[in-house]
Amino acid sequence: MELLHSGKVRDVYADGDDLLLVASDRISVYDVVLPTPVPDKGRLLTALSVWWFEQLTEIVPNHVISTTDVPAEFAGRAIRCRRLEMVPVECVARGYLTGGGLKEYERTGAVSGVELPRGLVEASILPEPIFTPSTKAPIGEHDEPITYEEVVAKVGPETAERLRQITVDVYRRGAEIAADRGILVADTKIELGWTPDGTLVLADEVLTSDSSRFWPAESYQPGRPQFSYDKQYVRDWAAGSGWNKQAPAPEVPAEVVEATRARYVDVYEKLTGNRWQ
């Protein structure tokens, strides 16, 4: 095997004609990898992604070849997958207003060029899910919001419309399934790529605690921050730590690591109905 790329969380290896996507226990916030890993995080992300890929096959095909035909040292945290030409855009769908979308709305009344009603607040539900793409920044740099028109300029109108439709459809289906389990999906980011025959397929991870914001429906209340089953807890710690959001990042306290792992486990169990071993 040959290591092709080491990302913020995943390492990509070439293995013959296939790729091995290996999820580490690294965690990143503000596009910076923190020096403190979260135990079991890579296994949790892989297991949840695999579960979601199976739920979404009627909406979009995916890159998975096998979850078991992987080297023993990567068992449980690796996926054997097809090689793709990745789309040069981060595909994001939002159903609620929070995070960077809220900040942009407060400045401009819009998110990624999508005009929204006046008077929305933290965690407001949107009239309908919206496509809010962003750039794909190198490690250590920040993704920046872009408009749909900028996506069209990058990939052409036909592909841009397919990206928007698939992203919103994945969000809608994921939000529907999660709602049945008492979880609100505030937003999610997906990765898409082309197979050699030109098919757009879902890749990387999907609807995980690293790529989505998950909130408990029972305590949801707009106008304030929500309890999150995702890495928002680490973002909040980082924002209050005095760190300037530039590398190198500080070590994460043990209690923050433990609480973050507990949230990842909790949402995995709630969504899949499986007990985490």
Side-chain angles (χ1 to χ4, degrees), residues 260-277:
T260 301
R261 181 187 180 278
R263 292 172 189 229
Y264 277 55
V265 169
D266 197 12
V267 78
Y268 168 83
E269 293 183 341
K270 283 181 164 63
L271 286 170
T272 67
N274 299 325
R275 181 79 174 169
W276 181 252
Q277 301 295 326

Side-chain angles (χ1 to χ4, degrees), residues 137-158:
I139 293 178
E141 298 182 21
H142 300 295
D143 296 338
E144 298 293 340
I146 55 177
T147 65
Y148 181 73
E149 288 70 28
E150 289 173 296
V151 177
V152 170
K154 281 178 176 288
V155 300
E158 182 179 344

